[in-house]
Amino acid sequence: MTSDETAVVTEDVIESIERSAEVYGLSRSAGRVYGVLYFADGPLSIPELVEETGYAKSTISTVTRKLTRIGMIHRRSSQGGGRRVRFAPESDLWFVVQDVFRQYVDREMELTQRTFERALDDLEDLDGDRSDRRREQIADLAETYEQFQTLLTMAMNHSPEELIAAIEQSDLD
Amino acid sequence: MTSDETAVVTEDVIESIERSAEVYGLSRSAGRVYGVLYFADGPLSIPELVEETGYAKSTISTVTRKLTRIGMIHRRSSQGGGRRVRFAPESDLWFVVQDVFRQYVDREMELTQRTFERALDDLEDLDGDRSDRRREQIADLAETYEQFQTLLTMAMNHSPEELIAAIEQSDLD
DNA sequence: TTGTTTGTTCAGCATGAGCCGAACAAACAG
DNA sequence: CTGTTTGTTCGGCTCATGCTGAACAAACAA
């Protein structure tokens, strides 16, 4: 731990990353680990992360596994041989968001739409004002949901630059 | 509680709404309350919601307050006079999303950007390789974040139809 | 071999959120 | 006024989650 005038400034930014991590459903420790790795001079091992973050070894082990699974950090394993594993941050966060979306949200939305479709099928056979109203209500819900789904799927297949350009372009009309 | 052949089908849809509510950071009970109101024949009072959902009165009171605050349901108060308050669902969910975003996420992101700017200012005065590297790293982060911010802000100022059309249009190039 | 370092797993503790029932306040009906 | 209905607030319970320390396994060094 060498003397470093930039440490204080960096600390503020890492705390900000911590808070953002929490907003997006990760733990504070996960944000801290990512932040430390982001500013590190190279990949860090678990003991080094323990030293830098102050968290227990077990916490670092769990957190690094989770962050690796969602692609926010990467294992630079077997570098220089040995058992020692090192972690490096993924700097393209948009890529991470897209990947997480594809794994979780997308699946959930498809399941929901399937439920709507099945409900509409079941109502097909029924007569009466009530079932007519239900059909309409569920069809409305399904349409809104499908719109969200379409929008998010399209967003996940483009870069932020492309999306911003597309919307700006359409605003010129 | 009259006999209703559509109840079974509706139940599946409400459960689906419950799960979606959880995904977006609300409680299961909040999803249930919204679902019941969505399919109700008119605004419901707290005792009626207790009857329909099975939750305790205190839970309904808390949940309706929260849903009202974020605009997912509305108080149809003082209808027919008296103290009895009734709740109706907001059917335009995109509107709700936009509103919640403006209140919470937007504020959080602006705060984060302010932190980045302050950090860059502080680093201005320092010399040396390390502070040069820090400046670059933080500038990268800030740029990514600003891109997200821009994108989301733009999304919040358009309808889903407009957004989908804009992206589809740009895909034709 | 024996000792050291690295990494994982697991039981236990603390904290926070959701929900409940009870107590309370407010409005109305008789 | 007394009793009933509606709505809010609060203490307490339960469950999930983050974090820890300790025990364990695996690789290396002596």
Side-chain angles (χ1 to χ4, degrees):
Chain A
M1 187 176 279
T2 68
S3 154
D4 177 0
E5 308 103 332
T6 72
V8 183
V9 176
T10 310
E11 171 60 24
D12 283 351
V13 175
I14 292 184
E15 276 173 20
S16 163
I17 295 177
E18 268 180 353
R19 291 202 313 275
S20 295
E22 258 191 322
V23 168
Y24 295 113
L26 294 175
S27 61
R28 209 172 284 267
S29 56
R32 168 68 53 172
V33 166
Y34 180 82
V36 166
L37 287 179
Y38 184 84
F39 288 110
D41 291 328
L44 297 184
S45 65
I46 288 188
E48 287 167 330
L49 282 171
V50 169
E51 170 65 28
E52 296 292 326
T53 65
Y55 283 106
K57 204 171 45 159
S58 53
T59 304
I60 300 297
S61 175
T62 308
V63 163
T64 49
R65 180 146 40 94
K66 176 156 200 173
L67 288 179
T68 301
R69 211 162 47 78
I70 66 177
M72 273 188 73
I73 66 178
H74 301 286
R75 296 178 74 113
R76 297 260 176 272
S77 53
S78 71
Q79 183 256 15
R83 179 165 159 75
R84 198 172 193 135
V85 181
R86 299 181 180 278
F87 296 93
E90 165 64 55
S91 55
D92 187 348
L93 290 181
W94 180 254
F95 180 75
V96 174
V97 170
Q98 289 182 322
D99 213 54
V100 169
F101 174 80
R102 268 188 276 273
Q103 285 184 345
Y104 299 85
V105 188
D106 200 37
R107 228 173 284 283
E108 172 65 27
M109 293 190 89
E110 271 179 21
L111 231 145
T112 301
Q113 282 194 0
R114 203 155 317 200
T115 301
F116 290 162
E117 282 167 20
R118 210 153 44 75
L120 285 173
D121 280 356
D122 291 353
L123 285 175
E124 276 296 320
D125 312 329
L126 296 179
D127 273 343
D129 290 353
R130 163 145 282 163
S131 56
D132 284 351
R133 176 137 193 280
R134 287 280 180 279
R135 254 197 296 278
E136 204 177 323
Q137 287 174 315
I138 296 178
D140 278 359
L141 257 193
E143 194 193 330
T144 302
Y145 223 79
E146 194 159 351
Q147 223 168 33
F148 282 23
Q149 166 93 329
T150 302
L151 187 54
L152 286 176
T153 302
M154 289 172 84
M156 289 307 107
N157 290 325
H158 294 77
S159 68
E161 290 90 346
E162 288 172 326
L163 295 171
I164 291 174
I167 302 174
E168 272 174 349
Q169 186 59 34
S170 78
D171 276 346
L172 301 182
D173 310 342
Chain B
M1 187 175 282
T2 68
S3 154
D4 178 0
E5 309 102 332
T6 72
V8 183
V9 176
T10 309
E11 171 60 22
D12 283 350
V13 175
I14 293 183
E15 277 173 19
S16 163
I17 295 176
E18 267 180 355
R19 291 201 313 274
S20 295
E22 259 192 322
V23 169
Y24 295 114
L26 294 176
S27 61
R28 208 173 285 266
S29 56
R32 167 69 53 174
V33 165
Y34 181 82
V36 166
L37 286 179
Y38 185 83
F39 288 110
D41 293 327
L44 297 184
S45 66
I46 289 190
E48 287 167 331
L49 282 171
V50 169
E51 170 66 27
E52 296 290 327
T53 65
Y55 283 105
K57 206 172 40 159
S58 53
T59 304
I60 300 297
S61 175
T62 308
V63 164
T64 49
R65 179 146 40 93
K66 176 158 199 173
L67 288 179
T68 301
R69 212 162 46 79
I70 67 177
M72 273 188 73
I73 67 178
H74 301 286
R75 297 179 75 114
R76 296 261 175 271
S77 53
S78 71
Q79 182 256 15
R83 179 167 159 74
R84 197 170 193 137
V85 180
R86 300 181 179 279
F87 296 93
E90 166 63 54
S91 55
D92 187 348
L93 291 181
W94 180 252
F95 180 75
V96 174
V97 170
Q98 290 181 323
D99 214 54
V100 168
F101 174 79
R102 269 189 274 273
Q103 285 184 345
Y104 299 85
V105 189
D106 200 36
R107 229 171 283 284
E108 172 65 27
M109 292 190 89
E110 270 179 22
L111 231 144
T112 302
Q113 282 193 1
R114 203 154 317 202
T115 301
F116 289 162
E117 283 167 21
R118 211 153 43 76
L120 286 174
D121 280 357
D122 290 354
L123 286 175
E124 276 296 319
D125 311 329
L126 295 178
D127 273 342
D129 291 352
R130 163 144 282 163
S131 58
D132 284 350
R133 176 137 193 279
R134 286 280 180 279
R135 254 195 296 278
E136 204 178 323
Q137 287 173 316
I138 296 179
D140 278 358
L141 257 194
E143 194 194 331
T144 301
Y145 224 79
E146 194 159 353
Q147 224 168 32
F148 282 22
Q149 166 93 329
T150 303
L151 187 53
L152 286 176
T153 301
M154 290 173 84
M156 290 307 107
N157 290 325
H158 293 77
S159 67
E161 290 90 346
E162 288 171 329
L163 294 171
I164 291 174
I167 302 174
E168 271 174 349
Q169 186 59 34
S170 79
D171 277 347
L172 301 182
D173 309 340

